[in-house]
């Protein structure tokens, strides 16, 4: 499994949005600047996130995006699924597949898929925000 740049940037942008929104619309330009990303690329990502019901958008000079749900209700999987074409390791369709290929799909790749799905479902944006903030505090206190 490989998460594409679209998925990686989408996760960073969604965490950034949740960290900075505080009830106010956040522009893609400000997210792009903080995360060193292209605002044009983020437009496509946020269109997919909006379609998935994860963000609300507002046009105009004071427009931007707001999370549609609290950060503790947005999982990593909810963000990645609308941005990735597939997150499965299964080795293609089973039609006419060799017995070894079918065996590996069933006994290895499907188990890895389920384990990854469980992790992505169990981890919220709020969890990541907390861990990120705690990481910053640990670094700050160690430099004293």
């Amino acid at each position: 499994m490989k998460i594409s740049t679209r998925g990686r940037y989408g996760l960073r942008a969604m965490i950034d949005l949740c960290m900075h929104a505080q009830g106010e619309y956040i522009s893609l330009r400000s997210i792009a600047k903080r995360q060193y990303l292209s605002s044009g690329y983020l437009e496509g990502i946020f269109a997919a996130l909006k379609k998935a019901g994860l963000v609300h958008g507002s046009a105009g000079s004071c427009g931007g995006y707001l999370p549609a749900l609290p950060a503790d209700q947005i999982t990593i999987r909810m963000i990645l699924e609308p941005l990735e074409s597939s997150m499965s390791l299964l080795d293609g369709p089973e039609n006419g597949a060799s017995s070894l290929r079918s065996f590996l799909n069933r006994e290895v790749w499907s188990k890895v898929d389920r384990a990854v799905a469980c992790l992505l479902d169990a981890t919220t944006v709020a969890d990541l925000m907390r861990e990120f903030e705690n990481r910053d505090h640990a670094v700050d206190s160690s430099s004293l």
Side-chain angles (χ1 to χ4, degrees):
M1 168 190 302
K2 181 169 170 124
I3 304 298
S4 70
T5 302
R6 182 173 162 93
R8 291 170 190 270
Y9 288 2
L11 181 59
R12 280 174 45 196
M14 193 68 184
I15 294 168
D16 184 283
L17 177 67
C18 288
M19 290 173 73
H20 292 94
Q22 309 304 318
E24 295 183 19
Y25 284 92
I26 303 297
S27 71
L28 290 184
R29 183 176 301 152
S30 66
I31 295 171
K33 185 176 180 180
R34 281 190 298 273
Q35 296 303 316
Y36 303 99
L37 302 172
S38 159
S39 57
Y41 194 64
L42 285 180
E43 287 177 16
I45 290 171
F46 272 78
L49 294 174
K50 184 176 179 183
K51 185 176 179 182
L54 295 176
V55 296
H56 296 295
S58 175
S61 61
C62 296
Y65 289 90
L66 276 174
L69 300 166
D72 64 352
Q73 294 178 21
I74 303 170
T75 66
I76 297 174
R77 186 173 180 178
M78 291 168 68
I79 296 166
L80 293 179
E81 279 189 337
L83 300 175
E84 297 294 328
S85 58
S86 172
M87 294 184 0
S88 176
L89 290 176
L90 292 178
D91 189 15
E94 293 288 325
N95 303 357
S98 74
S99 60
L100 180 57
R101 181 172 159 192
S102 295
F103 170 80
L104 291 173
N105 274 343
R106 186 179 62 251
E107 296 300 322
V108 179
W109 308 132
S110 64
K111 290 177 182 180
V112 172
D113 280 354
R114 283 193 301 273
V116 168
C118 285
L119 173 71
L120 298 179
D121 281 335
T123 308
T124 67
V125 169
D127 296 332
L128 296 173
M129 289 168 54
R130 256 189 315 279
E131 288 181 33
F132 182 73
E133 289 168 0
N134 289 339
R135 179 204 56 91
D136 283 351
H137 293 308
V139 169
D140 290 344
S141 63
S142 68
S143 64
L144 296 176

